[in-house]
Structure formats: C-alpha cells, structure tokens
Coordinates of all heavy atoms in Angstrom, one line a residue:
K1 N 110.9 78.3 100.8 CA 112.0 79.4 100.8 C 113.4 78.8 100.9 O 114.4 79.3 100.4 CB 111.7 80.4 101.7 CG 110.3 81.3 101.4 CD 110.7 82.2 100.1 CE 109.6 83.1 99.9 NZ 109.8 83.9 98.6
D2 N 113.6 77.8 101.8 CA 114.9 77.4 102.2 C 115.2 76.0 101.8 O 116.4 75.6 102.0 CB 114.8 77.5 103.9 CG 114.5 78.8 104.3 OD1 115.1 79.8 103.8 OD2 113.6 78.9 105.2
Y3 N 114.3 75.2 101.5 CA 114.6 73.7 101.0 C 114.2 73.3 99.7 O 114.1 72.2 99.3 CB 113.8 72.8 102.1 CG 114.4 73.1 103.6 CD1 113.5 73.6 104.6 CD2 115.8 72.9 103.9 CE1 114.1 74.0 105.8 CE2 116.3 73.2 105.2 CZ 115.5 73.6 106.1 OH 116.0 73.8 107.4
G4 N 113.9 74.3 98.8 CA 113.8 74.0 97.4 C 112.5 73.4 97.0 O 112.4 72.9 95.8
F5 N 111.4 73.5 97.7 CA 110.0 73.0 97.4 C 109.4 74.0 96.6 O 108.5 74.7 97.0 CB 109.3 72.4 98.5 CG 109.7 71.1 99.1 CD1 111.0 71.1 99.9 CD2 109.2 70.0 98.8 CE1 111.4 70.0 100.5 CE2 109.6 68.8 99.4 CZ 110.7 68.7 100.2
K6 N 109.7 74.3 95.3 CA 109.2 75.4 94.5 C 107.8 75.3 94.3 O 107.3 76.3 93.9 CB 110.1 75.5 93.2 CG 111.6 75.6 93.5 CD 111.9 76.9 94.3 CE 113.3 77.1 94.3 NZ 113.8 78.3 95.2
D7 N 107.2 74.2 94.2 CA 105.9 74.1 93.8 C 104.9 74.4 95.1 O 103.5 74.3 94.8 CB 105.6 72.6 93.3 CG 105.8 71.5 94.3 OD1 106.7 71.8 95.1 OD2 105.4 70.4 94.2
I8 N 105.3 74.6 96.1 CA 104.5 74.8 97.4 C 104.0 76.2 97.3 O 104.8 77.0 97.2 CB 105.2 74.5 98.6 CG1 105.5 73.0 98.8 CG2 104.6 75.0 99.8 CD1 106.2 72.5 100.0
V9 N 102.6 76.6 97.6 CA 102.2 77.9 97.9 C 102.3 78.0 99.4 O 101.7 77.1 100.1 CB 100.6 78.0 97.4 CG1 100.2 79.3 97.9 CG2 100.8 77.7 95.8
Y10 N 103.0 78.9 99.8 CA 103.3 79.0 101.2 C 102.6 80.1 102.0 O 102.8 80.3 103.2 CB 104.8 79.3 101.4 CG 105.4 80.3 100.5 CD1 105.4 81.6 100.9 CD2 105.9 80.0 99.1 CE1 105.9 82.7 100.0 CE2 106.4 81.0 98.3 CZ 106.4 82.3 98.8 OH 106.9 83.2 97.9
S11 N 101.9 80.9 101.3 CA 101.1 82.1 102.0 C 99.6 82.2 101.5 O 99.4 81.9 100.3 CB 101.9 83.5 101.6 OG 101.1 84.5 102.1
G12 N 98.8 82.6 102.5 CA 97.5 82.9 102.0 C 97.4 84.2 101.4 O 98.5 85.1 101.3
P13 N 96.3 84.8 100.9 CA 96.2 85.9 100.2 C 96.6 87.1 101.1 O 96.2 87.3 102.2 CB 94.7 85.9 99.8 CG 94.3 84.6 99.7 CD 95.0 84.0 100.8
L14 N 97.4 88.0 100.4 CA 97.7 89.2 101.0 C 97.3 90.4 100.1 O 97.5 90.4 98.9 CB 99.3 89.4 101.1 CG 100.0 88.3 102.1 CD1 101.5 88.5 102.1 CD2 99.5 88.6 103.5
Y15 N 96.7 91.3 100.8 CA 96.0 92.5 100.0 C 97.2 93.2 99.1 O 98.3 93.6 99.8 CB 95.5 93.6 101.0 CG 95.0 94.9 100.2 CD1 93.9 94.9 99.5 CD2 95.7 96.0 100.6 CE1 93.7 96.1 98.9 CE2 95.5 97.3 100.0 CZ 94.4 97.3 99.1 OH 94.2 98.5 98.6
K16 N 96.9 93.7 97.9 CA 97.7 94.2 97.1 C 97.4 95.6 96.8 O 98.1 96.7 96.8 CB 97.9 93.3 95.8 CG 99.1 94.0 94.9 CD 99.4 92.9 93.8 CE 98.2 92.5 92.9 NZ 98.7 91.6 91.8
S17 N 96.0 95.7 96.3 CA 95.6 97.1 95.8 C 94.2 97.0 95.7 O 93.3 96.1 95.8 CB 96.2 97.3 94.3 OG 95.7 96.4 93.4
M18 N 93.5 98.4 95.5 CA 92.0 98.3 95.4 C 91.8 99.3 94.1 O 92.5 100.2 93.8 CB 91.5 98.9 96.6 CG 91.9 100.4 96.9 SD 90.9 101.2 98.2 CE 89.5 101.7 97.2
K19 N 90.6 99.1 93.6 CA 90.1 99.9 92.6 C 88.6 100.2 92.8 O 87.9 99.3 93.0 CB 90.4 99.2 91.2 CG 90.0 100.0 90.0 CD 90.3 99.3 88.7 CE 89.6 100.0 87.4 NZ 89.9 99.3 86.2
I20 N 88.2 101.4 92.8 CA 86.8 101.9 92.8 C 86.0 101.8 91.5 O 86.5 102.3 90.5 CB 86.5 103.3 93.5 CG1 87.3 103.3 94.8 CG2 85.1 103.5 93.5 CD1 87.3 104.7 95.5
E21 N 85.0 100.9 91.5 CA 84.3 100.7 90.4 C 82.8 101.1 90.7 O 82.0 100.1 91.1 CB 84.4 99.3 89.8 CG 85.7 98.8 89.4 CD 85.9 97.5 89.0 OE1 84.9 96.6 89.0 OE2 87.0 97.0 88.7
G22 N 82.4 102.3 90.4 CA 81.1 102.7 90.8 C 80.8 102.7 92.3 O 81.5 103.4 93.0
N23 N 79.7 101.9 92.7 CA 79.6 101.8 94.1 C 80.3 100.6 94.7 O 79.9 100.2 95.9 CB 78.0 101.8 94.5 CG 77.5 100.5 93.8 OD1 78.0 99.8 93.0 ND2 76.2 100.1 94.3
K24 N 81.1 100.0 94.0 CA 81.9 98.8 94.5 C 83.4 99.1 94.6 O 83.9 100.0 94.0 CB 81.6 97.6 93.5 CG 80.2 97.1 93.7 CD 80.0 96.0 92.8 CE 78.6 95.3 92.8 NZ 77.5 96.3 92.2
V25 N 84.0 98.3 95.2 CA 85.6 98.4 95.5 C 86.0 96.9 95.1 O 85.5 96.0 95.6 CB 86.0 98.8 96.8 CG1 87.5 98.5 97.0 CG2 85.6 100.1 97.2
R26 N 86.9 96.8 94.2 CA 87.7 95.6 93.7 C 89.0 95.5 94.4 O 89.9 96.4 94.2 CB 87.8 95.5 92.3 CG 88.5 94.2 91.7 CD 88.6 94.1 90.2 NE 87.3 94.4 89.5 CZ 86.6 93.3 89.2 NH1 86.8 92.1 89.7 NH2 85.4 93.6 88.6
A27 N 89.1 94.5 95.4 CA 90.4 94.3 96.0 C 91.1 93.2 95.4 O 90.7 92.1 95.0 CB 90.1 93.9 97.4
S28 N 92.4 93.5 95.1 CA 93.3 92.5 94.5 C 94.4 91.9 95.4 O 94.7 92.6 96.4 CB 94.1 93.1 93.2 OG 93.1 93.6 92.3
F29 N 94.8 90.8 95.2 CA 95.6 90.0 96.3 C 96.9 89.4 95.5 O 97.0 89.0 94.4 CB 94.9 89.0 96.9 CG 93.7 89.5 97.6 CD1 92.5 89.7 96.9 CD2 93.7 89.7 99.0 CE1 91.4 90.1 97.6 CE2 92.6 90.2 99.6 CZ 91.5 90.4 98.9
E30 N 97.9 89.3 96.4 CA 99.1 88.4 96.1 C 98.8 87.0 96.6 O 97.9 86.9 97.4 CB 100.4 88.9 96.7 CG 100.8 90.4 96.2 CD 102.1 90.8 96.9 OE1 102.0 91.3 98.1 OE2 103.1 90.7 96.3
Y31 N 99.5 86.1 96.1 CA 99.3 84.6 96.5 C 97.9 84.2 96.3 O 97.3 83.5 97.1 CB 99.8 84.5 97.9 CG 101.0 84.9 98.3 CD1 101.4 86.1 99.0 CD2 102.2 84.2 97.8 CE1 102.7 86.6 99.3 CE2 103.6 84.6 98.1 CZ 103.6 85.8 98.8 OH 105.0 86.3 99.1
A32 N 97.2 84.5 95.2 CA 96.0 84.2 94.7 C 96.0 83.9 93.3 O 94.9 83.9 92.7 CB 94.9 85.3 95.1
D33 N 97.1 83.4 92.7 CA 97.1 83.2 91.4 C 96.2 82.0 90.8 O 95.7 81.9 89.8 CB 98.5 82.7 91.0 CG 99.4 83.9 91.1 OD1 99.1 85.0 91.2 OD2 100.7 83.7 91.0
S34 N 96.0 81.0 91.8 CA 95.2 79.8 91.5 C 93.6 80.2 91.8 O 92.9 79.4 91.5 CB 95.6 78.6 92.4 OG 95.4 78.8 93.7
G35 N 93.4 81.4 92.3 CA 92.0 81.8 92.5 C 91.7 81.9 94.0 O 92.5 81.5 94.9
L36 N 90.6 82.5 94.3 CA 90.1 82.7 95.7 C 89.0 81.7 96.1 O 88.2 81.3 95.0 CB 89.7 84.1 96.1 CG 90.9 85.1 95.9 CD1 90.3 86.6 95.9 CD2 92.0 84.8 96.9
M37 N 88.7 81.5 97.3 CA 87.5 80.7 97.7 C 87.0 81.1 99.0 O 87.8 81.7 99.7 CB 87.9 79.1 97.8 CG 89.0 78.8 98.7 SD 89.2 77.0 98.7 CE 87.8 76.5 99.7
A38 N 85.8 80.8 99.4 CA 85.3 81.1 100.7 C 84.9 79.8 101.4 O 84.4 78.9 100.7 CB 84.1 82.0 100.7
K39 N 85.1 79.8 102.7 CA 84.7 78.7 103.5 C 83.3 78.8 104.0 O 83.1 79.6 104.9 CB 85.7 78.5 104.7 CG 85.4 77.1 105.6 CD 86.5 77.2 106.7 CE 86.1 75.8 107.5 NZ 87.2 75.7 108.7
G40 N 82.3 78.3 103.3 CA 81.0 78.5 103.6 C 80.3 79.1 102.4 O 80.7 79.1 101.2
D41 N 79.0 79.5 102.6 CA 78.1 79.9 101.5 C 78.3 81.3 100.9 O 78.2 81.7 99.7 CB 76.6 79.8 101.9 CG 76.3 78.5 102.2 OD1 76.7 77.5 101.6 OD2 75.4 78.3 103.1
S42 N 78.9 82.2 101.9 CA 79.2 83.5 101.5 C 80.5 84.0 102.2 O 80.9 83.6 103.2 CB 78.1 84.4 101.8 OG 77.8 84.4 103.1
I43 N 81.0 85.1 101.6 CA 82.3 85.7 102.3 C 81.8 86.6 103.4 O 81.0 87.5 103.3 CB 83.0 86.5 101.2 CG1 83.3 85.7 100.0 CG2 84.4 87.0 101.9 CD1 84.0 86.5 98.9
K44 N 82.5 86.3 104.5 CA 82.3 87.2 105.6 C 83.4 88.0 106.1 O 84.6 87.8 105.6 CB 82.0 86.2 106.9 CG 80.7 85.3 106.6 CD 80.5 84.4 107.7 CE 79.3 83.4 107.5 NZ 79.2 82.5 108.5
G45 N 83.2 89.0 107.0 CA 84.4 89.8 107.5 C 84.8 91.1 106.7 O 85.7 91.8 107.2
F46 N 84.0 91.6 105.7 CA 84.3 92.8 105.1 C 83.4 93.9 105.6 O 82.4 93.8 105.9 CB 84.1 92.5 103.5 CG 85.2 91.9 102.8 CD1 85.3 90.6 102.6 CD2 86.2 92.8 102.4 CE1 86.3 90.0 101.8 CE2 87.3 92.1 101.6 CZ 87.4 90.8 101.4

C-alpha cells in the first residue's frame, strides 16, 4: 500500500457474500483471486 510493491497479496481471504443453494451455503471472499486452500486434509472451523 505504501511502498509500491503492487504484485504483493497483502491480505488473507475476507468474507464478501453468501448464497443459499439448496441445503448448502456458498461463501465468497475478497483476496482470493488466486484460489483458496486448506492446511490439512479438510477444512475446519465452519
């Protein structure tokens, strides 16, 4: 933001919006253009 390193991704995913799809919810995020990943075999904490 302050020193011109434009190619740096500086934030982790921030919640943006949700959409209900049947019995599921789809959550969308900012700062996730390159995709998301989980540390481990499955996503935890939801």
Side-chain angles (χ1 to χ4, degrees):
K1 292 292 189 179
D2 307 304
Y3 297 116
F5 288 77
K6 301 299 183 184
D7 58 337
I8 288 179
V9 176
Y10 47 88
S11 174
L14 295 177
Y15 168 73
K16 182 169 61 176
S17 62
M18 65 166 277
K19 181 181 179 182
I20 298 175
E21 300 178 359
N23 68 336
K24 295 182 174 65
V25 172
R26 184 181 297 275
S28 299
F29 300 86
E30 297 180 281
Y31 305 106
D33 292 345
S34 61
L36 298 168
M37 61 177 285
K39 185 179 179 181
D41 297 332
S42 60
I43 304 178
K44 302 175 182 178
F46 276 93

